Amino acid sequence: MFDLTLPARPRLTKTTLYHVVGWGLRIYVACLLVIGLYSVLWLAEVAGYLDEQTLAVIWLAVAGMGTAFLVLLVPLYYSSRRRS
């Protein structure tokens, strides 16, 4: 006589879309910053402001920071997944 079932909750809500767009904008800005940094380094190298040794140290520092970020990101990811 009475249907007491609750309607299914939609998976794609406005809040989810806002979060997806927010993360997309953050990734876009991060890509622009990285591309800008690479462009500045390339222009400095072409203009002769950076010698080979300084440029090599800069690239090694960038690679080291990326590696450190990934090493720290893995435990943070798994610890955040366990709490949910």
Side-chain angles (χ1 to χ4, degrees):
M1 183 171 190
F2 295 106
D3 187 19
L4 297 176
T5 59
L6 296 174
R9 184 174 167 214
R11 290 184 177 200
L12 192 62
T13 62
K14 283 186 179 181
T15 305
T16 306
L17 287 175
Y18 288 141
H19 286 292
V20 169
V21 169
W23 277 106
L25 287 174
R26 289 178 189 148
I27 291 170
Y28 176 71
V29 169
C31 288
L32 286 179
L33 288 173
V34 169
I35 291 170
L37 175 67
Y38 285 156
S39 299
V40 168
L41 287 176
W42 181 76
L43 287 173
E45 180 189 12
V46 169
Y49 289 116
L50 297 176
D51 59 345
E52 298 264 338
Q53 185 178 4
T54 306
L55 197 60
V57 169
I58 290 171
W59 291 122
L60 285 174
V62 169
M65 286 187 295
T67 303
F69 174 74
L70 287 176
V71 166
L72 293 173
L73 184 66
V74 171
L76 288 174
Y77 173 76
Y78 284 113
S79 68
S80 70
R81 297 289 289 176
R82 255 184 279 152
R83 291 183 188 159
S84 298

